[in-house]
Amino acid sequence: MQQSFVSAFYKNFLGNSPEWYKLAIIAFLVINPLIFFFVSPYVAGWALVLEFIFTLAMALKCYPLQPGGLLAIEAIAIGMTSPKQVMHEVAINIEVILLLVFMVAGIYFMKNLLLFLFTKIITKVRSKTTVSVLFCFASAFLSAFLDALTVIAVIISVAVGFYSVYHKVASGKHINHDHDHTCDSGVAEYSRDELEAFRAYLRNLLMHAGIGTALGGVCTIVGEPQNLIIGQQANWQFVEFAIRMAPVTVPVLIAGLFTCFLLEKVKWFGYGAELPENVRQILIDFDKDQTSKRTKKDNVKLVMQGLVGIWLIIALAMHLAAVGLIGLSVIILATSFTGVTDEHQLGHAFEEALPFTALLTVFFAVVAVIIDQQLFTPVINWVLTYEGNMQLVMFYLANGFLSMVSDNVFVGTVYITEVKKALLAGQITRDQFDLLAVAINTGTNLPSVATPNGQAAFLFLLTSALAPLIRLSYGRMVVMAFPYTIVLTIVGLISIYSGLLESKTQDLYEAGLIHHHKVIEGNDAEGHH
């Protein structure tokens, strides 16, 4: 009886995760208190950080919330940090939490408009290169004002819709028939090669779009969650954030779009797959069918969603309220004018963002440990021994490398918190802090495209129901992201190392587009130049 209970308990622990993964987490939970009490709290703190990074890197084995959460709870229980310190971290980052809760849910109610736009790109534009660049640019533009996770979720919806339509026809059924598009057994033999070509085509578009979310996400304060954390610590609003980032982000965006164009032309790294003509015709027929079924009521919904989108851009640019509250206004406006009144319909909108919001709160618990145990202080002090551009380069590279192997939100949060401490301690000037904030933001956003665990949007794509259908594995994503990783990282590095960032920032000061900030009694306050 005892044995069966223990066996059942062990099977339930972290569910279907691999045996070695479960044993690794148990080992971490056993070792951490021993290191903390009998070796050194500092060493135990670093062990916790590395273990947490391990759970992020292994996100495909088990969502990091559970194992990471267990490690964080244990850390608080043994005294590595306190619930009060965790609550303090949550409180100062409340805008980020509201961004994830409300903004992602708000964009959910604008999905129909986004689906409409991406569908038109695929069916109306014949050139594959043009389609790819449009997908990349549209994803970048939308991610700058919305949220990378939501944008990639919309593109996944478009791809799943098209895949299921073609799969149904290739299996000898009509569009209005029921069909399981996950099973290839009904696909006619002569359609198999066509299906493989279509899968390759969709892989191309999804990877270009994924990179697009990174290109746009780095540009604005709402593009990625860590951007808002960095912007808050620096006391920058939407417009100032975008202007300060521009000396790095504009060259990177141009280089990224050019890379997209080039990859489609040279057909390297799995790119350059064309849409088979037969598939194109099926998709065009399907789009015509959907358009003919669209009522006046549906058209009005699209118009209202477009107007809400314009309101969102204006409200963000003018900083009319906290980002999360603007997201809440989007939910209210988009649902009020498109006929969504049911509580269950509202509930679906929050499904995508809340698991990641919970994980972000666990991030803040680990950040609290880092602060209480002063883990990064020696590293930051060492990097601060460098001067001028080299200091910026070191921060950019350190953030970039860590973001590749773990998660860019976690890395960005840790580094900006530590640099803020250095500022308040008088180790660096306010102007140097501003430049370092740009280096940290670009470092966490650009090299992190190297791996799916580096960015939430990439991980979301990899763990979606679409990935196995189009044969998009972890290894294939790494290979397809490789040319982009090299180009974006090097262009970002050159922009920082060349002194372009510093000289352009000085020009912006002189033009009056941005102002010098100063620190008063440990808090940021506006200064004038």
Side-chain angles (χ1 to χ4, degrees), residues 47-56 68 71 359 362-363 366 410:
L48 178 78
V49 170
L50 294 173
E51 289 158 7
F52 190 70
I53 288 173
F54 169 82
T55 66
L56 295 171
L71 292 167
L359 178 60
V362 174
F363 281 178
V366 178
F410 175 63

Side-chain angles (χ1 to χ4, degrees), residues 299-331:
N299 289 331
V300 170
K301 280 184 184 178
L302 291 176
V303 171
M304 293 314 299
Q305 287 175 12
L307 292 174
V308 171
I310 293 168
W311 149 251
L312 171 65
I313 292 170
I314 293 170
L316 287 172
M318 297 180 69
H319 196 72
L320 298 180
V323 175
L325 296 182
I326 293 171
L328 181 57
S329 75
V330 168
I331 294 175

Side-chain angles (χ1 to χ4, degrees), residues 285-493:
D285 291 344
F286 171 70
D287 182 46
K288 283 178 183 171
D289 182 60
Q290 293 299 104
T291 303
S292 66
K293 289 178 182 173
R294 201 174 287 123
T295 62
K296 180 70 82 176
K297 190 176 168 186
D298 294 327
N299 289 331
V300 170
K301 280 184 184 178
L302 291 176
V303 171
M304 293 314 299
Q305 287 175 12
L307 292 174
V308 171
I310 293 168
W311 149 251
L312 171 65
I313 292 170
I314 293 170
L316 287 172
M318 297 180 69
H319 196 72
L320 298 180
V323 175
L325 296 182
I326 293 171
L328 181 57
S329 75
V330 168
I331 294 175
I332 294 166
L333 294 170
T335 54
S336 299
F337 296 107
T338 57
V340 177
T341 54
D342 186 72
E343 185 182 352
H344 295 295
Q345 285 177 287
L346 283 167
H348 287 306
F350 293 90
E351 287 173 5
E352 284 170 15
L354 286 184
F356 190 69
T357 309
L359 178 60
L360 192 68
T361 308
V362 174
F363 281 178
F364 296 143
V366 178
V367 172
V369 171
I370 289 168
I371 290 168
D372 281 355
Q373 301 304 325
Q374 298 188 322
L375 299 185
F376 275 64
T377 306
V379 180
I380 297 291
N381 289 341
W382 171 70
V383 176
L384 291 176
T385 60
Y386 290 90
E387 292 184 357
N389 289 340
M390 205 58 213
Q391 190 181 88
L392 302 179
V393 167
M394 292 301 291
F395 267 87
Y396 175 83
L397 292 175
N399 279 270
F401 177 73
L402 278 175
S403 297
M404 285 181 192
V405 295
S406 62
D407 179 275
N408 57 5
V409 181
F410 175 63
V411 175
T413 305
V414 169
Y415 267 85
I416 198 65
T417 306
E418 290 297 318
V419 172
K420 183 67 175 283
K421 273 173 59 183
L423 171 67
L424 298 178
Q427 290 176 270
I428 54 174
T429 64
R430 175 65 215 218
D431 285 350
Q432 187 65 4
F433 170 83
D434 288 337
L435 293 170
L436 286 172
V438 175
I440 291 167
N441 188 64
T442 51
T444 55
N445 275 293
L446 300 174
S448 58
V449 301
T451 62
N453 37 284
Q455 294 215 4
F458 276 50
L459 191 60
F460 187 70
L461 171 58
L462 184 66
T463 54
S464 70
L466 177 67
L469 296 181
I470 62 171
R471 312 296 188 257
L472 187 61
S473 63
Y474 187 101
R476 190 168 243 160
M477 279 187 81
V478 170
V479 170
M480 294 181 80
F482 180 74
Y484 280 113
T485 307
I486 298 299
V487 172
L488 304 192
T489 303
I490 289 174
V491 173
L493 187 63

Side-chain angles (χ1 to χ4, degrees), residues 179-196:
H179 177 65
D180 177 13
H181 59 260
T182 61
C183 177
D184 287 350
S185 59
V187 178
E189 198 61 44
Y190 59 83
S191 297
R192 299 268 166 151
D193 290 343
E194 213 171 60
L195 179 60
E196 286 306 316

Side-chain angles (χ1 to χ4, degrees), residues 94-105 146-147 221-222 224-225 228 323-325:
I94 189 67
E95 273 205 46
V96 185
I97 292 170
L98 291 179
L99 163 77
L100 285 169
V101 172
F102 293 131
M103 188 62 86
V104 177
L146 310 179
D147 169 82
I221 201 164
V222 295
E224 290 277 351
L228 191 56
V323 175
L325 296 182

